[in-house]
Amino acid sequence: MIEKRFRFFVWLYMALFFVAVILIVLNVLPLRLTEIHALFFIVSGIFAVIFLILQYGKGLGSAITILVFAVSTSIEWMQTSLTNAGQASDVTTDFGLVINGIPVAFGFIWLVLIVGTHVISREITLKIRIDWIRGGIYAVIAATMVMVFEMLIEPVAMQVKQSALDSSTLTIIQMTDAANWWMLGLILHLMIYFMLSLTDQWGKLHFPMLKSELVLVYWIVLSFFLVLGYFMGLWSILLVTLIGNIIFTACYYFSLESDKQKKTVA
């Protein structure tokens, strides 16, 4: 029953996504991020939180949620403060609720990003038997996905942070940010791996059939940024982000098929 309800709301969410894309194409919804977009991302983050609680229980699921939300928003705040140091610029209030200069929606985007990459990279590395090798490869794959995703999010989010899009140093800033986001993704996923391993929850999912639904939510959010990036003309970033995510998601589904074949043989 829980799986059916979760799946129903995810597919409803996907239908609303297609409606939003149509509205953007028709210029009904603006290309810049607004409160409507913020609500969209908050709902996606709620899916990620529910997924964690369903799979790992209220205690562990809530702990991972708080970890990701607190760390990611803190880093966003520090990055924005350093980028805008000496400038009289406040984060626009058009992107929903703002706390200490950072829109709350950013934290929910990070929840989808981290939980989605966790599910994909966990499935890819699940069959590796040696713990430290499995954890290392899992964290590297997930961190790489975070970096590739953030390469697309950053130019779109710059309007919210009120950073200059026409700056000649944009490419350098993006490269520096990409390295920082990769490191943040690596640390967060290593912490998640240790939390799940120490509580003997790494190989256990209470509702394994919901994995692909969460991956779908991840791709809906990714697709939303792909659409915005397309209209902004971010061609090279779009190509890197799309190819990288297709490769890792294909590996995820190949791993699922391998599991299904083993169960069928057994």
Side-chain angles (χ1 to χ4, degrees), residues 150-211:
E150 273 294 331
M151 287 175 64
L152 176 62
I153 293 178
E154 194 65 20
V156 177
M158 276 184 175
Q159 56 173 287
V160 177
K161 300 176 182 179
Q162 294 190 346
S163 300
L165 287 173
D166 298 327
S167 171
S168 60
T169 60
L170 178 60
T171 302
I172 298 175
I173 293 174
Q174 285 180 330
M175 291 176 62
T176 303
D177 286 346
N180 293 337
W181 295 132
W182 187 88
M183 185 60 65
L184 176 59
L186 184 74
I187 293 172
L188 282 174
H189 282 94
L190 283 174
M191 293 177 72
I192 292 172
Y193 179 77
F194 287 132
M195 291 170 70
L196 295 178
S197 297
L198 292 174
T199 55
D200 198 28
Q201 295 291 320
W202 175 256
K204 300 176 183 178
L205 290 177
H206 295 155
F207 299 94
M209 296 300 293
L210 295 182
K211 289 184 296 186

Side-chain angles (χ1 to χ4, degrees), residues 33-48:
L33 297 177
T34 64
E35 291 181 349
I36 297 176
H37 302 92
L39 179 61
F40 177 87
F41 296 130
I42 289 173
V43 172
S44 66
I46 291 173
F47 277 120

Side-chain angles (χ1 to χ4, degrees), residues 148 152 226 234-246:
V148 171
L152 176 62
L226 288 172
L234 305 173
W235 307 115
S236 59
I237 297 177
L238 282 175
L239 189 62
V240 172
T241 303
L242 191 58
I243 292 176
N245 277 278
I246 288 176

Side-chain angles (χ1 to χ4, degrees), residues 39-135:
L39 179 61
F40 177 87
F41 296 130
I42 289 173
V43 172
S44 66
I46 291 173
F47 277 120
V49 174
I50 293 174
F51 177 85
L52 287 174
I53 292 175
L54 287 176
Q55 300 295 5
Y56 302 120
K58 293 181 180 179
L60 188 56
S62 299
I64 296 175
T65 298
I66 294 172
L67 170 70
V68 174
F69 194 91
V71 172
S72 61
T73 51
S74 296
I75 297 298
E76 288 278 6
W77 174 78
M78 286 189 290
Q79 184 204 34
T80 303
S81 299
L82 291 173
T83 302
N84 296 327
Q87 301 179 15
S89 62
D90 296 322
V91 175
T92 178
T93 57
D94 290 343
F95 200 47
L97 179 63
V98 175
I99 298 177
N100 287 333
I102 295 297
V104 173
F106 280 0
F108 285 93
I109 293 173
W110 268 93
L111 280 170
V112 179
L113 176 55
I114 295 299
V115 177
T117 54
H118 160 70
V119 172
I120 293 172
S121 56
R122 172 190 173 276
E123 192 67 32
I124 294 174
T125 59
L126 197 59
K127 300 177 185 67
I128 299 176
R129 299 300 181 185
I130 303 175
D131 289 345
W132 66 273
I133 295 180
R134 179 177 61 220

Side-chain angles (χ1 to χ4, degrees), residues 7 26 33 56 61 77 120 138 143 193-194 216-217 257 263:
R7 189 172 292 114
L26 296 176
L33 297 177
Y56 302 120
W77 174 78
I120 293 172
Y138 155 79
Y193 179 77
F194 287 132
L216 178 59
V217 172
E257 288 298 322
K263 290 179 181 179

